[in-house]
Amino acid sequence: TSLQNENAERAENVMPKKFVIHCLPKTASTTLRKACRRHLWTNCEALELPMKQDPFGFRQIDDFFTAVRYCPEIDHFCVQGGDDMMTIINHEEKAESKQEGEGESPPLHFIHMVPFRNFDSWVESAVKQVFVIDGSCDRIGQLLDHNCLGYREMYMELYPKIALALLTGMGFNANDKGLTGEGKSQHHIVLYNYQDTDVIIAETSRYFGIEPLARTDEQAKANRGEGTCPARISDKFHECHDETLMTQDSIRMLRPERKRRTQEMREMKHALQCLRSGRQIGCQHDEEEDGDSGGDGVSEAVVENVVS
């Protein structure tokens, strides 16, 4: 009803605002990650943060919420896109925190900043990055030929629209569960052109009365070496994933999606181990070498050099 909408809008206006910048490959993510890291190191007074390449909470959602809780002076946070259950929206505080008498965190208004980049342009940039890192395209070519497996930045789930699909799907689930009701945190999504990163983040911050994040105008990878993979690599990637791009609007069945990704990542990790050992994809190796790591443990097969 209109009264409910007015109450919700009033609640959002009084909630502290926190920007969550979803850093995805080939969308100024290195620049943003460095800006967030410096912002946290310089301004978070309560936590003694580790000196790492990534800002605290970039990869681990529990660490992200620790920073949100203990660093109220921080308004901009960077996260690695979002996991396959989008726990950044569907987060539940650990039982030990409640037992320690900390109480529940106050509700916040999270503004999720999700970049957009044209798919063709994103693919070409990802292909070039693979070439720059590997010096050849042999490995990505074999992985694409084998069940359209991804590699480094060339992994479809790292394309911004897929992260957006997870966020919107989680939004539907949250509404069904009442997670955005009175007294709960609110989540809104801002989709922006990655080429205007500096201007958009600055202007959106000012709109909410927040000091803009510094150093978002730097270009960390503006100058890269010459050369890229042959056209057949990007053509094969398009052949594998164009239909997914056209049909993916929102991912509402999160648990089946997680199972699918875990199985795919296991296969990807196995294939990479074969290639690294100089053998063909599908080779046999000891179970101890592979293990049943599942979930985040096998994601190294995808993002081993995404942060470089």
Side-chain angles (χ1 to χ4, degrees), residues 262-280:
T262 299
Q263 292 173 339
E264 184 175 284
M265 284 191 178
R266 285 202 184 103
E267 183 180 2
M268 193 185 309
K269 184 180 180 182
H270 183 181
L272 277 172
Q273 287 174 337
C274 292
L275 292 176
R276 288 174 184 143
S277 63
R279 293 175 286 177
Q280 294 294 315

Side-chain angles (χ1 to χ4, degrees), residues 138-251:
D138 295 341
R139 188 174 289 179
I140 179 59
Q142 293 180 65
L143 289 167
L144 285 173
D145 288 338
H146 181 77
N147 295 338
C148 293
L149 293 179
Y151 177 58
R152 300 197 190 281
E153 281 90 340
M154 291 194 68
Y155 179 60
M156 187 60 187
E157 279 68 14
L158 295 176
Y159 182 59
K161 184 178 179 181
I162 306 303
L164 181 65
L166 279 170
L167 271 172
T168 54
M170 194 62 247
F172 284 119
N173 284 358
N175 287 333
D176 291 341
K177 297 175 182 177
L179 296 180
T180 57
E182 185 177 355
K184 300 294 183 179
S185 292
Q186 303 289 315
H187 296 268
H188 289 91
I189 301 168
V190 176
L191 184 66
Y192 69 95
N193 188 331
Y194 90 102
Q195 292 180 312
D196 301 322
T197 293
D198 180 42
V199 173
I200 295 299
I201 291 181
E203 291 302 316
T204 308
S205 298
R206 291 191 184 100
Y207 175 81
F208 287 105
I210 292 173
E211 184 71 21
L213 180 64
R215 300 193 178 188
T216 58
D217 58 342
E218 298 179 0
Q219 297 183 347
K221 294 182 179 177
N223 299 313
R224 293 186 291 170
E226 297 295 325
T228 188
C229 295
R232 69 174 184 84
I233 299 297
S234 55
D235 289 345
K236 179 64 177 179
F237 193 84
H238 280 290
E239 180 184 329
C240 288
H241 300 298
D242 277 1
E243 185 174 351
T244 299
L245 179 71
M246 291 186 291
T247 58
Q248 196 72 83
D249 291 322
S250 63
I251 300 173

Side-chain angles (χ1 to χ4, degrees), residues 16-17 19 88 93 115 117 130 138 185 221 223 272 282 289:
K17 308 292 189 294
F19 280 79
I88 199 163
E93 294 186 71
R117 182 169 184 173
V130 169
D138 295 341
S185 292
K221 294 182 179 177
N223 299 313
L272 277 172
E289 182 183 353

